[in-house]
Amino acid sequence: MQRREFLKGSAFLGSLACINPVLSANALTHGDKKSVFSVCEMCSTRCPIEISVKDNKGVFINGNPKFSANKTSVCARGGAGINQLYDKNRLIKPLIRVGKRGENKWREASWDEALNLVATKLNEIKEKHGAKSVIFTSKAGESHTHMSNFAYAYGSPNIFSHYSSCPITYNMVLEHTYGGGLSRDFANAKYIVNFGHNLFEGIVISDAKKLAKFAAASDTKLLVLEPRFSVVAAKADEWLPIKPGTDVAFLMALIHIWLRDEKYDKEFVNEYCIGLDELKASVKDTSPKWQESITGISADTIERIADEIYKAAPKVVIDWGHKTTTTYAEYQRTRAIAIANALMGNYEKKGGIHTSKNTNTLNKIIGEDIFPTLDNPSNVFKVPNTPRIDGAGEDGSKNYFVSRKHGVLMDIAPAILSKKPYPIKAWVNTRFNHLVNVANVNESLKAINELDFIVSIDIYLNDFSNLADVVLPESSYLERDESIATIGNGYYMRNKAVEVIGDTKSGFDIFRKLASMMKIDELYTYTTIDEYRMQQAKGNVDLLANLKKDGIVTYKVPSLYLREPKTIKEFAKTYPQIKDKINSNGELSSLISFKTPSKKIELFIEKVENLFPTHGCLNTTDYDVFKNHEFCLTSGKTPIHTNAHTQNIPILNELMSESPVWINETKAKELGFKDGDLVYLENEFGKIQVKLMLTQGIRPDTLFIYHGFGRNTPALKNIHEIGANDSIVLGSRSGYVCSTMVTNIGVDIKRA
C-alpha cells in the first residue's frame, strides 16, 4: 500500500467508525485541532505521548514534550497507534462462536448477551467445579490489575502474567540479591558490559537515547557479548560472539579473576555484602582458561576485560538486560551479573546502579511528606489461599520463589492435560496471545481443546481469540482512560483521546460490569475509572487535574546517589532536612538498606541453597542449550513490532511482514543452502518452516529469528500463516529456581 492510499483509507475508516465522536474534557482546544496528553501502549514501556486530534479524529502521535527523557520522540510502533485505531480488522462488536472451535465462525452479539453468557458460564463452572478451575491470563500492567481483582473476587488463585516468558529472572535475582529492583545509570557510566540487551531494536526510548550517546562518546567503552552481530553489537567498541548459553561461564571466570587478584571493592564488599567465602569457593576453578573452550573467548581476552572493568569502576554497568529468559541456567547467569556489579562497588554510585528515587522514597529520604503519594484501591483484593495449578509460592514446589500474582505460563498446558493437581475447565484471557508468546504451542493447542469455556478480551481476533467461545472487544489505548502510574519522580496517566469506535469497552469496565452482574463486587469501592483515580490520588484534585491536562506530573529534584558525596551535597542545598543524616564521609549510608534476610547484598543465598542445593551461589549447571542438536535457535525483538501484538497493523506490516532466519553464510554454503531457501527447523517439540537469510553476522552454530510471526489468524489475512512461530519449537521445561521460559533451543535443519 502506498502512503497516499493509506492516508486516504485511514480517513475513510475514521469517518465510518467515528459517529459523532466527542473529545474528553482533558483535550486542549486550538480551533479544530486538539492535543491530548496520554500514555502509549504499543509496547510495555508505556511512553508519555501527545495525540493530535483534528475534527474529532486522531491524526498524529509524538512524544509528550513535557517528559524530558523522551521529549517528542516515539518509536515506529508508538507512531503507528493511529493506524491501529482505524484498522478495519479491529474488533468492534462482541462475538459468540457458532462453529467448531477454531473454525472462525462467529455471530455478533450485544454486550448484554455476551456478558450474560460469560457470567452464566463462570457461575455454573464455579458451582460445579470450584472457582479454582478457571485460569486467568494477561500481560502485566493495568489489564492484569483489573483482571486479577475480578479473579480474586471470583475466588480463583490461578492468575498469570507474562513475567515467566520475559522479565521474571532479573526481577527475582535483584530481589534475592539486593532486596528489590534497581536502575542502571547508562548516562553517566564509563564502561558498559552488554549481554545482548538490544536497546536499539527492543526499544525503550529513554534508555536507547542514553546508550546511543554513551556509544558515541570517545571516553567510554561498550562491550557486547552475543552470538549475533545485532544493532547494539554494531555500535559497540568491542563485540565478542559468545557461544549461546555460556554467558554464565564468562561471568564466573570474570569473577574468578577479580577475586584471584583481589581487584574488587573490598571496603564496599566488607560493609555491605555477605557470602564472600561461598562465592570464592564457587569460582575457584572457573579460570579464564577453563571458560575458553566453553564460550569461545580466549583467556587473554577475558583477562584484559577484567582489568578494564576494574579500572573503570565504579562507573561501570554490567547490564542484566530485560528479556532474561534464554537458558535453563538463566538464574545463575543473572545472579553472576548482580554479583559482578556488587564486586565493583557501583551500588548507589554515579555511572553505576541505584535504587529508584520515586516520590515515596524521596519523602523517606527527606523525612517529610514533600511530594504527593498514591493510595492503591486494589489492595483490598488478595490472592486466595487455594493451591495453584503451578504451585507458585507454595512449599515444596519447583516454583516456590515465583509470585502467586504472576505464575508460570508454561505450566498451564501440562496441568490442563494431566488434570493435576485438579481439573481446569475454563480460561479467561485479556490481551495476551498465549499461542505465540509461550513455549510448546502444540501442547497448548491440545490443552485448549480440553476446556469447556474460553473468554478472550482483545482488540483483534488473533491466534488465541480464534479459539474462544466469547470474544469481547476492548477499546484501544487511545479510546480509554486508565489509572495513575508512577514514572521516575512523578506520575503519569492514560487519558482518552477520542470516543470509542464501534461498540468496544475498556478492560476496566468489562471486569467491573461482570463483577456486578455476578454479585461478587463486595470489595469494590469504585464503579468508574474516575472513582478509582480519585481514590488513588487520595482526593488530590490538583494532581488529577494536572494529569488530565498534561498527562504527566514530575517534580524537579536534584539527582541523588546515596554513596556519592557531590550529589548529596547538592541535594542538601534544596532539602537541608537531610544534613543530620550525612555521614562524616559525605555519604547517606544510614539510608542504605537491603530487604534481604541478612539486610545485606547476598553473594550467597542460604534459603535458595536449602531449597535448591548448589544454587545458593554460582554454578554452571545445565547451561547447554543445544542438547545434541546442530544449531541453537535464538530469538529477539525487532524495532518494528512488539512480540505478537503489532504484526497486523497495516503500516507496520508493510514495513515488516515476516522474518527470515539468520544463518552463517559459510556454514549455510557448506550445507548446500542459498539465500532465500525454505527449510524446516525441527526438534522434539515441533517443526517450523522458515526462509533462510545468509549473513556473516552470526556464529556458525547459531540461528536467529525475530519473534512474533507465523500466526494462525484466518480473520487477519495479511498475517495468517506468514513466517514462522518460534514458540512451536520451544519446550515447556523451565529454568532453575526462577522458572523462566527458555527461548534458546537446539534445532536441526531439514530441507523443505
Side-chain angles (χ1 to χ4, degrees):
M1 179 186 292
Q2 298 300 311
R3 182 175 182 273
R4 184 185 301 272
E5 293 172 339
F6 161 67
L7 291 173
K8 286 168 61 180
S10 294
F12 175 67
L13 289 170
S15 64
L16 284 180
C18 299
I19 300 173
N20 297 322
V22 179
L23 282 167
S24 54
N26 51 300
L28 303 178
T29 304
H30 305 288
D32 62 348
K33 295 181 181 179
K34 304 167 179 70
S35 287
V36 179
F37 296 98
S38 189
V39 179
C40 185
E41 199 184 43
M42 298 301 284
C43 80
S44 59
T45 304
R46 299 178 177 91
C47 294
I49 55 172
E50 177 184 10
I51 306 114
S52 298
V53 181
K54 184 176 181 180
D55 297 332
N56 297 322
K57 298 182 185 68
V59 294
F60 192 75
I61 293 174
N62 56 260
N64 186 338
K66 299 176 187 295
F67 181 50
S68 60
N70 288 18
K71 299 190 185 322
T72 57
S73 300
V74 289
C75 67
R77 298 162 297 180
I82 297 294
N83 202 214
Q84 182 190 66
L85 176 66
Y86 298 121
D87 187 352
K88 62 180 173 39
N89 287 308
R90 273 189 58 189
L91 292 169
I92 58 171
K93 289 282 290 183
L95 300 177
I96 293 175
R97 178 170 61 84
V98 294
K100 294 180 180 178
R101 187 164 284 164
E103 272 192 325
N104 192 34
K105 292 183 179 179
W106 310 89
R107 66 174 176 84
E108 291 186 351
S110 67
W111 275 100
D112 283 345
E113 181 187 12
L115 290 179
N116 272 313
L117 176 58
V118 172
T120 299
K121 285 288 188 180
L122 290 180
N123 279 331
E124 287 175 355
I125 289 168
K126 183 177 181 179
E127 185 176 345
K128 292 180 181 177
H129 307 284
K132 65 184 180 182
S133 66
V134 181
I135 59 173
F136 295 82
T137 54
S138 170
K139 196 179 188 307
E142 180 100 355
S143 61
H144 183 263
T145 297
H146 299 305
M147 179 198 73
S148 297
N149 292 349
F150 173 83
Y152 299 156
Y154 178 70
S156 176
N158 291 311
I159 297 95
F160 298 82
S161 81
H162 79 291
Y163 266 38
S164 57
S165 65
C166 190
I168 192 170
T169 311
Y170 82 80
N171 283 326
M172 187 182 293
V173 163
L174 293 178
E175 182 180 346
H176 285 183
T177 310
Y178 290 86
L182 294 171
S183 298
R184 296 148 295 192
D185 189 11
F186 294 135
N188 295 300
K190 291 298 181 184
Y191 201 116
I192 294 176
V193 185
N194 178 297
F195 291 91
H197 182 201
N198 196 348
L199 278 166
F200 300 141
E201 291 189 272
I203 293 175
V204 176
I205 291 175
S206 56
D207 285 342
K209 283 187 170 185
K210 293 172 188 173
L211 190 64
K213 188 175 180 180
F214 174 93
S218 59
D219 61 343
T220 62
K221 178 165 183 179
L222 174 59
L223 169 65
V224 173
L225 299 96
E226 67 166 313
R228 178 179 71 110
F229 192 61
S230 64
V231 179
V232 74
K235 302 300 181 185
D237 296 284
E238 184 175 3
W239 169 54
L240 298 175
I242 191 169
K243 185 177 182 179
T246 66
D247 295 359
V248 65
F250 177 89
L251 286 154
M252 289 177 71
L254 200 64
I255 293 168
H256 170 96
I257 295 167
W258 290 332
L259 296 179
R260 179 197 69 193
D261 299 342
E262 296 191 343
K263 288 185 174 181
Y264 63 95
D265 191 331
K266 299 185 194 66
E267 184 178 345
F268 177 81
V269 170
N270 289 338
E271 183 172 358
Y272 293 109
C273 300
I274 190 171
L276 182 61
D277 290 340
E278 290 87 348
L279 177 63
K280 288 179 176 178
S282 72
V283 299
K284 65 182 177 63
D285 297 322
T286 61
S287 68
K289 195 67 180 174
W290 163 83
Q291 68 83 45
E292 199 171 56
S293 63
I294 298 172
T295 66
I297 298 169
S298 72
D300 289 344
T301 298
I302 195 171
E303 290 275 10
R304 169 178 57 81
I305 288 168
D307 187 57
E308 289 174 357
I309 295 171
Y310 175 69
K311 287 177 178 175
K315 289 181 178 292
V316 301
V317 173
I318 303 166
D319 187 4
W320 47 79
H322 181 73
K323 181 181 163 288
T324 49
T325 60
T326 55
T327 78
Y328 301 107
E330 202 68 22
Y331 181 81
Q332 292 299 331
R333 170 261 193 196
T334 313
R335 272 275 289 156
I337 290 174
I339 290 169
N341 279 292
L343 292 177
M344 292 300 98
N346 64 356
Y347 180 80
E348 286 295 339
K349 298 292 281 186
K350 193 172 184 178
I353 61 176
H354 58 92
T355 54
S356 172
K357 307 300 187 298
N358 59 30
T359 52
N360 279 313
T361 303
L362 287 169
N363 284 343
K364 289 177 184 176
I365 290 171
I366 297 166
E368 294 181 21
D369 289 338
I370 302 290
F371 307 103
T373 57
L374 300 181
D375 201 355
N376 184 0
S378 295
N379 274 343
V380 295
F381 297 94
K382 305 297 181 186
V383 186
N385 290 326
T386 313
R388 289 175 53 100
I389 58 171
D390 59 358
E394 297 168 14
D395 290 341
S397 169
K398 67 180 178 67
N399 300 327
Y400 173 81
F401 287 112
V402 178
S403 167
R404 287 172 63 81
K405 293 182 178 180
H406 296 289
V408 179
L409 290 164
M410 300 77 70
D411 288 351
I412 291 176
I416 293 173
L417 292 171
S418 68
K419 298 182 173 53
K420 294 179 181 178
Y422 44 79
I424 294 296
K425 298 296 181 180
W427 190 333
V428 177
N429 176 71
T430 176
R431 294 292 302 283
F432 184 75
N433 198 338
H434 191 93
L435 295 173
V436 178
N437 292 326
V438 180
N440 210 338
V441 175
N442 292 329
E443 188 176 45
S444 293
L445 287 169
K446 291 176 185 176
I448 285 169
N449 284 324
E450 295 289 317
L451 298 175
D452 294 344
F453 190 60
I454 301 172
V455 180
S456 180
I457 301 168
D458 216 306
I459 290 177
Y460 291 107
L461 198 59
N462 61 29
D463 308 68
F464 186 90
S465 300
N466 190 51
L467 300 177
D469 297 284
V470 179
V471 180
L472 304 176
E474 187 181 39
S475 306
S476 77
Y477 69 97
L478 297 174
E479 304 163 289
R480 62 180 191 259
D481 291 320
E482 289 193 349
S483 63
I484 307 169
T486 300
I487 184 169
N489 57 356
Y491 304 104
Y492 68 156
M493 188 169 75
R494 178 167 289 133
N495 291 309
K496 182 178 180 180
V498 297
E499 289 302 312
V500 298
I501 289 172
D503 194 9
T504 67
K505 293 183 184 293
S506 69
F508 174 96
D509 287 334
I510 292 170
F511 284 115
R512 184 62 187 90
K513 178 66 174 178
L514 274 173
S516 176
M517 292 172 64
M518 296 171 66
K519 303 189 186 312
I520 55 173
D521 60 345
E522 296 90 349
L523 293 178
Y524 285 84
T525 57
Y526 50 85
T527 55
T528 67
I529 192 64
D530 282 336
E531 291 174 2
Y532 190 92
R533 287 169 160 181
M534 185 60 76
Q535 289 182 31
Q536 280 188 292
K538 303 176 183 177
N540 188 336
V541 293
D542 290 336
L543 175 62
L544 269 177
N546 287 327
L547 286 169
K548 285 188 175 185
K549 178 172 68 74
D550 296 331
I552 186 168
V553 172
T554 57
Y555 305 96
K556 192 172 182 179
V557 180
S559 61
L560 179 65
Y561 304 83
L562 301 181
R563 296 180 56 240
E564 201 69 73
K566 285 185 179 179
T567 69
I568 293 168
K569 186 177 180 180
E570 288 301 310
F571 192 85
K573 290 179 182 179
T574 305
Y575 302 103
Q577 300 95 317
I578 72 164
K579 286 183 177 178
D580 61 346
K581 300 175 184 176
I582 302 174
N583 297 357
S584 58
N585 60 4
E587 298 181 359
L588 288 168
S589 303
S590 62
L591 298 179
I592 295 176
S593 60
F594 304 99
K595 295 180 181 179
T596 58
S598 65
K599 307 301 180 187
K600 293 193 173 189
I601 298 170
E602 300 206 348
L603 310 180
F604 170 78
I605 304 173
E606 186 175 0
K607 188 168 186 178
V608 172
E609 183 68 18
N610 291 337
L611 294 173
F612 297 90
T614 75
H615 287 282
C617 210
L618 301 182
N619 66 54
T620 54
T621 300
D622 208 3
Y623 60 79
D624 174 31
V625 289
F626 288 81
K627 303 296 183 188
N628 298 317
H629 293 283
E630 185 174 8
F631 295 93
C632 174
L633 176 66
T634 64
S635 62
K637 296 186 177 183
T638 162
I640 307 300
H641 292 295
T642 299
N643 298 327
H645 172 54
T646 61
Q647 281 76 11
N648 186 71
I649 296 172
I651 197 167
L652 296 181
N653 182 267
E654 187 172 339
L655 288 171
M656 186 179 189
S657 59
E658 63 177 307
S659 172
V661 165
W662 294 33
I663 184 171
N664 180 272
E665 184 177 19
T666 303
K667 181 66 174 179
K669 288 179 178 178
E670 284 178 9
L671 297 173
F673 296 124
K674 60 182 185 297
D675 196 62
D677 276 355
L678 287 174
V679 299
Y680 288 111
L681 304 185
E682 295 182 354
N683 63 13
E684 58 272 34
F685 307 111
K687 177 172 72 172
I688 56 176
Q689 188 179 64
V690 299
K691 183 186 296 182
L692 294 179
M693 185 190 84
L694 276 57
T695 173
Q696 288 296 336
I698 196 166
R699 286 175 55 99
D701 57 3
T702 307
L703 306 173
F704 173 84
I705 188 171
Y706 286 113
H707 174 71
F709 297 86
R711 312 289 289 280
N712 187 4
T713 53
L716 305 176
K717 299 189 186 305
N718 61 332
I719 64 172
H720 181 53
E721 296 182 341
I722 296 174
N725 180 359
D726 57 301
S727 293
I728 290 173
V729 294
L730 303 181
S732 294
R733 180 190 161 198
S734 57
Y736 293 102
V737 185
C738 59
S739 302
T740 187
M741 187 174 86
V742 177
T743 57
N744 286 5
I745 198 78
V747 296
D748 296 309
I749 296 181
K750 305 291 184 184
R751 292 191 179 276

